[in-house]
Amino acid sequence: MSRFNTTFAKLNAKNEGAFVPFVTLCDPNLERSFDIICTLVENGADALELGFPFSDPLLDGPVIQAANQRALSAGYSSDASFELISKVRSKYPDIPIGLLLCANLVYAQTIEDFYKRCSEVGIDAVLIADVPLLASNEFMPFAEKYGIQQVFICPPNADEKTIQRLAIQSKGYVYLVSRAGVTSAENQKMTSNLAELINALKQNNSPPILQGFGISTPQQVTDCLKLGIAGAISGSATVKIIEQYLNDHEKCLEELASFVKRMKESTVLKLR
């Protein structure tokens, strides 16, 4: 079983959902980013979603755009990001690691070299934000060859045919987008048809569902889990803490620890 599959099974046995924070790698630099990621894991993150710094992010709102720019301005790119993931994997051999990035960063290395490198550093899953199901054929063979689970996004307007394809082709988990638009901790309005999308995915035997976009409070995590999903991803709210305490690294780690603990506590739902 993959690390994601194993983690979901363990959490389900404990009647817990998953809390998955997102951060941009090497923000604000490689050393501090490693400290940040360790803090997330040590304080309850069930898995990690990590982003490569990129100059033209597709779905990211201003908070994550700024994180990308900080990492790039400090001179970090894909090579440093792979180095950092390898360091994280060495310290945490069991934590599931998902990578979120745009296709240009894959093409820059050739598709096969990219997936080979993902396997070498211990990445479990890859979500290419600007590659829809219909354009995934050139990526899937290499993901399978190197044992990487290819994850796809379920958008709010997904029709029945798209949901059927998602359930078959997405591996590890399905990323359910809470609403249209870009990432933002401030925009917490969820689309009205989430329950219908979740039910449709489950009826088609999809992988576990992780919901993201606008997840910033423990109550939102609880509400998500009540819809029957496996867990919640929080990106902008996590990265905003890094931005807020750029000049005080120890305070940043303290605030991240507190945030992750509160979010994780809200995943113990089914026993209530």
Side-chain angles (χ1 to χ4, degrees), residues 220-241:
Q220 285 178 307
V221 174
T222 298
D223 292 343
C224 290
L225 294 175
K226 285 180 178 177
L227 293 175
I229 64 170
I233 299 171
S234 181
S236 293
T238 308
V239 176
K240 193 171 184 179
I241 296 171

Side-chain angles (χ1 to χ4, degrees), residues 18 29 40 56 98 139 144 254:
N29 59 45
L40 302 178
D56 299 293
F139 300 91
E144 293 172 4
E254 290 174 11

